[in-house]
Amino acid sequence: MTGLVTIFGGSGFLGRYISRRLAHQGWRVRVACRRPEEALFVRTYGVVGQVEPIFCNIRDDDSVRAALIGADAVVNCVGVLAEKGRNTFHAVQEEGPERIARLAAEEGVARMVHVSAIGADEESPSEYARSKAAGEAGVLRHMPDAVILRPSILFGAEDAFFNRFASMAQVSPVIPVVGANTKFQPVHVDDVAHAAELAATGKAAPGIYELGGPDTHTFRELIVQMLRMIRRRRLVIGLPFGIGRLMAGIGGLVQALSLGLVRAPITADQVANLQSDNVVGTGAKGFADLDISPIAMEAVLPDYLWRFRPSGQYLAIKESARNLRRH
């Protein structure tokens, strides 16, 4: 075995790809998560005993320190898109990363990789973006040679973006979009995992890397492209930010009254975040500096969005049969 890496959030959407890659490189992988009993699947990424899920609460010093003991490298993938209970932006994305970095430095961990997000900005109107910037600063205070990755919106088989809107398109004739003209640079989850792998193994120079895919699209264009792939015609309606804030207010009230049983479709902070483009900044270090060629959406989306088509996996067969009848 090459060494031991602790991956906080290693069973999540991005974390599982990083865990698999490092296991394949021969590392022992310690997957630190809140519910290790739900993360047993990560054990299959390596030989017996190579990948092990353990309990960890990143809000607690002792819990984090225990997860770091003996580690040669640490990767932090933990983040939240919306606050829930004690998992606030401040606790998870500001205090959490700094706690991990501080304790990693105390434990003599050689390298740290921290996953942030494009748009991290201490002056942003979005608390999400401000907490991401504060988390980065906290990491660099204690681990100045850390590698910080700022991906744009992630896509992949388990994503919460294309899957969510494709599922909506199955039942709704209308797809409402707040921030329809906001630009994104979607990036494949495994390309970001590749960057994290290089950083964790010491093959990437310290610093901040902004990671975006090869193509830039508006929010509306992404939804239209998704609809084309699942062979569904739906009306895509762009909503003003004012309407988005109203929707967030009503959704938040319903969520509170239902004690969280009904989740708001969008939050006020997400509306604020959508007012800024989510693309790689001019002059920023990125995939090219890591010698990685990011894959395009068109090469990946059909592999997992086919199940949202009217006839699922049989649509291609039906289309082929229709052509035969014509001849």
Side-chain angles (χ1 to χ4, degrees):
M1 297 293 176
T2 301
L4 172 64
V5 59
T6 297
I7 305 179
F8 291 89
S11 61
F13 176 36
L14 172 60
R16 66 185 64 185
Y17 284 81
I18 300 174
S19 298
R20 184 186 295 115
R21 276 185 165 272
L22 287 171
H24 287 178
Q25 289 295 322
W27 284 68
R28 288 184 296 128
V29 181
R30 185 182 288 157
V31 173
C33 52
R34 288 184 298 163
R35 300 183 181 88
E37 70 281 359
E38 297 178 6
L40 298 180
F41 63 88
V42 300
R43 290 179 173 175
T44 64
Y45 295 165
V47 299
V48 175
Q50 183 183 359
V51 183
E52 190 67 25
I54 65 167
F55 170 78
C56 182
N57 179 356
I58 67 166
R59 301 195 307 269
D60 178 75
D61 272 30
D62 291 339
S63 184
V64 172
R65 188 185 297 277
L68 288 169
I69 292 175
D72 300 288
V74 58
V75 181
N76 177 41
C77 304
V78 180
V80 291
L81 291 175
E83 296 179 315
K84 183 179 181 182
R86 295 181 180 179
N87 291 320
T88 63
F89 292 136
H90 178 72
V92 175
Q93 297 182 167
E94 182 174 347
E95 291 184 336
E98 180 168 14
R99 176 175 292 109
I100 292 170
R102 171 171 55 83
L103 296 175
E106 292 178 7
E107 291 296 322
V109 178
R111 290 182 294 278
M112 179 167 181
V113 185
H114 173 59
V115 180
S116 183
I118 284 181
D121 181 2
E122 61 183 9
E123 301 297 330
S124 172
S126 162
E127 188 178 355
Y128 170 87
R130 293 197 303 272
S131 68
K132 284 291 189 181
E136 292 179 2
V139 166
L140 294 175
R141 269 194 294 272
H142 301 282
M143 298 285 283
D145 290 331
V147 171
I148 294 176
L149 305 179
R150 291 178 174 177
S152 185
I153 189 168
L154 299 175
F155 68 89
E158 308 89 350
D159 72 46
F161 182 78
F162 287 110
N163 280 304
R164 176 187 178 189
F165 283 101
S167 179
M168 185 187 301
Q170 286 183 304
V171 297
S172 174
V174 177
I175 307 294
V177 177
V178 177
N181 294 321
T182 300
K183 295 179 180 179
F184 292 89
Q185 203 168 340
V187 57
H188 189 230
V189 60
D190 193 51
D191 287 331
V192 178
H194 189 183
E197 173 200 337
L198 295 177
T201 55
K203 298 174 183 175
I208 297 175
Y209 295 80
E210 297 200 346
L211 307 178
D215 302 306
T216 299
H217 299 278
T218 65
F219 199 165
R220 181 192 296 275
E221 289 170 345
L222 291 176
I223 300 302
V224 169
Q225 188 169 355
M226 177 273 296
L227 290 171
R228 188 182 308 117
M229 289 189 178
I230 65 172
R231 309 288 205 277
R232 293 182 185 272
R233 293 185 179 181
R234 298 292 185 263
L235 181 61
V236 181
I237 298 180
L239 300 179
F241 290 114
I243 298 296
R245 286 189 287 270
L246 179 62
M247 289 172 56
I250 295 173
L253 179 61
V254 171
Q255 181 173 310
L257 293 175
S258 68
L259 301 179
L261 294 176
V262 178
R263 300 290 295 172
I266 192 170
T267 67
D269 194 75
Q270 287 169 344
V271 174
N273 206 24
L274 282 168
Q275 295 182 50
S276 301
D277 290 337
N278 196 265
V279 298
V280 172
T282 303
K285 290 200 294 186
F287 280 125
D289 299 275
L290 298 170
D291 199 25
I292 297 174
S293 298
I295 194 168
M297 292 186 302
E298 293 82 355
V300 177
L301 292 185
D303 290 344
Y304 65 96
L305 291 184
W306 58 263
R307 63 193 181 95
F308 296 104
R309 293 172 178 173
S311 299
Q313 61 184 319
Y314 301 107
L315 182 61
I317 297 175
K318 292 174 67 174
E319 290 177 341
S320 178
R322 191 180 303 120
N323 292 333
L324 287 174
R325 286 197 297 268
R326 289 175 182 171
H327 297 286

